[in-house]
Amino acid sequence: MRLRALLDTDALGLRLLGGTDELDRTVRGVMTTDLRDPSRYLAGGELVLTGLAWRRSPADAEPFVRLLVSAGVAALAAGEAELGDIPDDLITACAKHRLPLFAVHESVAFATITEHVVRQVSGERAGDLAAVVDRHRRMMTSGPTGGGPDVVLDLLGSDLDLRAWVLSPTGRLIAGAKMSGAGPALPVDVCAKLAAEHLTAARTGRRGPHRLALGGSTYSLFPIRGGGRSAQGSRDVRETVLSDWLLAVEADAGDWPDERLDLLQGVTQLIAVERDRRDAARTVRRRLAQEVLELVQAGAAPAEIAARLRVAAPVLLPGLGAAPHWQVIVARVEWDGGDIEAGPVAQSLLEEILVDPLATGPEPSDRIAVAHSGDEAIALVPLPAVSAEHDGSEAGIHADVLLEAVRDPLSAGLDDDGRVTLGVSAAVHSAEGLRGALEEARHARRVAAARPGRVCAAGHQELASHVLLLPFVPDDVRRAFTARLLDPLRDYDRRHRAELIPTLEAFLECDGSWTRCASRLHLHVNTLRYRVGRIEQLTSRDLSRLEDKLDFFLALRMS
């Protein structure tokens, strides 16, 4: 559709403030934002709607408009509800950069404009799209939240007989068919596989929708925001691939006509509005986490840190009378090559993966505050009193559970050039313990980084053992140590298929018990004794000695 068509629709309440000569521009989409830099979410050709919450001073207008123009947007529409008249500095900046500017009357909801544009961009070729969009508009404008993504997906089910879900990059169900009403819920393992396929396709640059057959059903996957940015090449896909949502539809989109594909692309735009709302809601939590982190790292007095925690507790756990116990999680995302700011990437990722993987809906992360410092993201997680009543070492988030929930999907997004490492502290009961918890989480992350694999995590429980020392041993020393002990066994296994390495691992795990080890390996004890004797002969070590057992154990852990 053309920009000038927007002015011909009285219901939109648009008033042109500048850009008369540019009204023949084509609008390809719409985005609502109050981010100071929304360019990463733009694909080009959008009508950008803003409530001006990003504007804190007249100096903010110029860089904001410049970012929009660089991203190739069609026009900017600013709401009058926040400031009344549109500021002169914004009008001047738009005129300078030849960006058409509209004022939106305070009585007109952005949702009304969004869905009008989506309907027009689709050319009103599909009657089913008009029905879905019209009904969704009525629901969105009936309340402040608009009902969330579930509203749109319910309409896809009732009007078009399409079962659809919104998933996070870790496979968490954000919206879609549940056990009641719209049929059975999507199984957790299917969610994880769909997310992995989406991440793999995004990393290889394939354009959506992506199709995947699972369990007798075919699913079509539509990127939400990420696909457009990557296709335009304006940003490195690795900046967003680990945090973008996806729309999964139980249907084979390969046979769909263009109008049906346009419909689903319109739906992703409507869901993106909810994503923007969710991101905006995280601003306060991020600021609280950043303030606490800066105080802890600066060595501030515990009383000062405690005061900030008392402010944070009601925000993160509404209705809580007293400050809870706290836990610290540290994450790092590392990419091979490329100029990528790792801290914000890790922050967005950590905000997602700390959500209970069984929790549904777009807003279960409102109890998590995540800051970033350098290349690290640091999460401040409050533990409600009901959890904190238990032993602190048992309460809260556990590294192995966290790892199990996110490892497979994220490994697909990391491909062969990225790593995610996580460290989890114990629960602390006061501000005095927060600095120690931060250092504990950082040490645990370094332990995780010393392990093989694309996604690794370690918890505070592991820091009480010799494992704490491994990340600080130089790589060349570790390689020489493991080669000296294990290479003779590997060579022998390769030539004779003797399975000496698996035997050694089992023997150590059974604490040197011949009976238990033979039972685990399904061997006769005499066969086990022969293998252990061969290990001792090849390495000139004695597995009855504690020192030699420990050397083998460390070598296996470092290999």
Side-chain angles (χ1 to χ4, degrees), residues 16 48 60 68 75 109 124 182 184 229 247 269 285 296 306 314 340 343 376 389 398 441 506 553 558:
L16 185 64
V48 173
D60 293 335
L68 297 186
E124 297 183 324
R229 294 194 304 283
L247 175 66
Q269 291 187 8
R285 299 194 295 275
V296 170
I340 301 172
E376 284 183 335
E389 289 173 358
H398 292 259
F553 184 82
M558 289 190 293

Side-chain angles (χ1 to χ4, degrees), residues 222-431:
F222 294 80
I224 297 177
R225 295 201 228 154
R229 294 194 304 283
S230 301
Q232 292 294 322
S234 59
R235 295 272 179 163
D236 192 318
V237 67
R238 293 175 296 181
E239 292 183 3
T240 56
V241 69
L242 300 181
S243 56
D244 279 339
W245 290 355
L246 68 141
L247 175 66
V249 181
E250 190 177 20
D252 188 345
D255 299 328
W256 283 4
D258 289 343
E259 54 265 26
R260 182 57 64 91
L261 291 172
D262 287 344
L263 162 61
L264 269 295
Q265 295 296 347
V267 168
T268 63
Q269 291 187 8
L270 294 174
I271 295 171
V273 173
E274 298 296 330
R275 175 66 186 265
D276 290 338
R277 183 180 292 116
R278 194 283 308 262
D279 288 343
R282 285 180 167 175
T283 302
V284 173
R285 299 194 295 275
R286 285 180 170 181
R287 185 167 64 246
L288 285 171
Q290 200 72 42
E291 290 173 354
V292 173
L293 175 63
E294 290 172 359
L295 289 174
V296 170
Q297 294 191 136
E304 187 177 0
I305 298 174
R308 296 308 304 161
L309 291 177
R310 283 194 294 273
V311 172
V315 175
L316 301 178
L317 289 173
L320 194 66
H325 298 181
W326 300 89
Q327 197 171 12
V328 176
I329 320 290
V330 173
R332 185 164 184 163
V333 178
E334 299 172 281
W335 300 104
D336 297 337
D339 184 15
I340 301 172
E341 192 177 358
V345 175
Q347 182 181 43
S348 296
L349 175 62
L350 194 53
E351 285 171 334
E352 170 56 40
I353 65 178
L354 289 183
V355 180
D356 182 347
L358 299 180
T360 59
E363 289 296 335
S365 58
D366 58 358
R367 295 184 174 185
I368 299 165
V370 184
H372 69 83
S373 176
D375 290 339
E376 284 183 335
I378 298 98
L380 187 65
V381 182
L383 304 179
V386 65
S387 297
E389 289 173 358
H390 301 86
D391 179 6
S393 64
E394 300 297 328
I397 296 172
H398 292 259
D400 54 346
V401 176
L402 190 65
L403 181 63
E404 183 66 24
V406 303
R407 177 171 47 205
D408 291 346
L410 290 184
S411 295
L414 293 164
D415 198 16
D416 60 356
D417 63 345
R419 288 198 81 201
V420 171
T421 50
L422 303 158
V424 181
S425 82
V428 295
H429 310 153
S430 65

